[in-house]
Amino acid sequence: KDILQGQLGNCWFMCALASLAEMPYLVERLFITQKYNEEGLYRLKLCKNGEWMEVTIDDYFPCYPNGSPMFSRANGHELWVLLLEKAYAKVHGNYKSIVGGLPHQAMMDLTGCPTTSFSFKESNVQDMIRNGKLWNMMKNYDK
């Protein structure tokens, strides 16, 4: 599934969405409104600060004069990426608030699960790379 970032500068969030899309049921469970809504209102849920919260958004998105979305886009005519980005922006106050961040933070907000991050500059992480432990951990986490 192609996810395009757009002009917002939230590649960290798009990265988490792309990872989540590998397991569609994880994306689907974020949508309380499961089908296209003719009224343009959608309910989603996100986990912020360890607590699941419901968010209501509409399907009006910032667009260029030619009608294409300024920010995220999905492959084809799918709305799920735009809706999740808008709900995430709403939880944080506005779109500008989600410029810059770390993928593991977004993944925690999208799954409610604890996450971790490794810096390749740290000597203990370098050791884990050399002895194969980091690769084995990543394969295990991917399962």
Side-chain angles (χ1 to χ4, degrees):
K1 299 185 190 250
D2 295 337
I3 295 176
L4 303 173
Q5 177 183 341
Q7 296 298 313
L8 192 53
N10 62 347
C11 59
W12 62 284
F13 180 71
M14 294 294 115
C15 173
L17 278 187
S19 295
L20 207 66
E22 301 232 355
M23 298 185 181
Y25 72 93
L26 291 176
V27 174
E28 289 170 11
R29 74 182 193 154
L30 297 173
F31 285 84
I32 298 167
T33 306
Q34 290 282 321
K35 300 198 185 291
Y36 172 75
N37 183 331
E38 289 190 23
E39 288 79 34
L41 293 175
Y42 294 87
R43 302 263 308 146
L44 292 86
K45 61 182 178 179
L46 297 168
C47 185
K48 195 64 190 155
N49 300 320
E51 188 173 326
W52 285 98
M53 59 188 316
E54 295 183 4
V55 182
T56 302
I57 57 167
D58 59 39
D59 61 2
Y60 290 97
F61 305 105
C63 291
Y64 291 110
N66 70 1
S68 65
M70 292 179 77
F71 302 147
S72 68
R73 290 183 284 296
N75 190 22
H77 298 295
E78 300 172 0
L79 284 176
W80 70 274
V81 174
L82 287 87
L83 293 168
L84 273 168
E85 180 183 53
K86 186 168 188 171
Y88 202 68
K90 183 173 182 177
V91 166
H92 288 86
N94 54 48
Y95 281 104
K96 185 167 176 50
S97 297
I98 61 172
V99 172
L102 298 170
H104 73 277
Q105 293 169 331
M107 192 62 98
M108 192 173 350
D109 294 340
L110 294 168
T111 65
C113 296
T115 62
T116 189
S117 176
F118 297 96
S119 171
F120 292 157
K121 296 177 184 176
E122 294 177 9
S123 62
N124 65 322
V125 175
Q126 290 288 323
D127 291 341
M128 291 171 65
I129 293 169
R130 278 191 285 281
N131 66 26
K133 185 177 179 185
L134 184 63
W135 178 249
N136 289 333
M137 284 175 56
M138 289 173 58
K139 288 192 316 186
N140 186 45
Y141 291 160
D142 188 52
K143 287 181 188 173

